[in-house]
Amino acid sequence: VQYYGLKVEVILMILEFYRSEKQRGKAIGISYVNAMAKNWADEGINSITDAEAKLQDIARSDRLWNEIVAITGIRHRRPTAKQREMVDDWFKDFDVAMITLAADIMKENTAEPSLAYVNKILKQWKKNNITSPAQVKAEQEAFEKSKANKKSDKLKSKPSYDLEKVMSDAMNNTD
């Protein structure tokens, strides 16, 4: 109350959140309560309504994180603030089907689950305005076709050496 200027009701809500998290078996300490109080004071949360909204945001973010853990197969752990923000952004721009598709692509191309890889895929899709699995499939087909065309162009080009000259040099080599 004195250090951060929060109202007693808001501090009691933080402590109740802490107690409920501990009862669920989460390993959080009193330093978490201090950090939470500081963050809330910095964000200007000083009413019961604001605190309830913030706790609902935390609960929503936890549900989204649990979905991402299930979809991607990453080891279950508490997300960092950056990871939490990244996942929130994913769900603002894409639905679960698109995030699952990005996770499937990540699983096909990496040995270990990587949120950074999924993030890179989703950022690319957002940049290219890809919003549906059909558009993803069309993009992948176009990419494969252009890749095949480049490969066939390489086969059609002239070699960088003259095979007859190499053969004649080999025949005339007396060393």
Side-chain angles (χ1 to χ4, degrees):
V1 172
Q2 292 174 348
Y3 192 74
Y4 294 122
L6 293 173
K7 292 183 180 177
V8 173
E9 302 86 31
V10 173
I11 293 171
L12 289 173
M13 290 182 80
I14 291 172
L15 292 172
E16 177 58 29
F17 172 77
Y18 170 77
R19 186 185 65 76
S20 69
E21 292 294 295
K22 288 295 264 186
Q23 282 180 341
R24 280 198 236 150
K26 298 215 176 159
I28 59 174
I30 196 69
S31 61
Y32 184 85
V33 172
N34 289 330
M36 192 174 195
K38 180 187 181 314
N39 290 341
W40 284 24
D42 291 346
E43 292 176 25
I45 298 171
N46 204 19
S47 71
I48 292 175
T49 307
D50 292 342
E52 285 175 348
K54 183 65 176 181
L55 289 174
Q56 287 174 352
D57 284 347
I58 292 170
R60 181 186 58 77
S61 184
D62 283 345
R63 280 192 309 277
L64 295 178
W65 177 253
N66 290 335
E67 272 189 70
I68 292 302
V69 167
I71 291 169
T72 61
I74 64 169
R75 282 179 266 118
H76 185 72
R77 62 180 192 278
R78 301 262 326 152
T80 64
K82 186 176 179 179
Q83 288 172 330
R84 193 177 286 273
E85 182 181 320
M86 182 174 57
V87 168
D88 286 343
D89 287 343
W90 294 353
F91 280 94
K92 287 176 189 169
D93 297 327
F94 297 99
D95 61 5
V96 175
M98 290 296 287
I99 295 170
T100 303
L101 184 57
D104 290 344
I105 292 170
M106 175 266 305
K107 289 175 188 176
E108 290 173 7
N109 295 309
T110 61
E112 285 290 317
S114 168
L115 292 179
Y117 196 99
V118 174
N119 193 47
K120 185 177 178 181
I121 293 168
L122 292 172
K123 278 185 175 182
Q124 188 67 35
W125 289 351
K126 184 177 178 183
K127 179 181 171 187
N128 294 337
N129 293 323
I130 296 173
T131 57
S132 71
Q135 289 174 319
V136 171
K137 185 176 181 180
E139 182 202 30
Q140 285 177 334
E141 288 172 355
F143 176 74
E144 291 297 326
K145 186 176 179 181
S146 71
K147 197 164 112 178
N149 287 342
K150 285 181 184 177
K151 189 175 182 179
S152 67
D153 288 346
K154 284 182 182 178
L155 294 176
K156 292 177 185 175
S157 65
K158 283 183 113 179
S160 60
Y161 56 89
D162 182 3
L163 188 57
E164 289 181 20
K165 183 169 178 2
V166 171
M167 294 283 279
S168 71
D169 288 347
M171 296 295 277
N172 295 330
N173 187 359
T174 58
D175 289 337

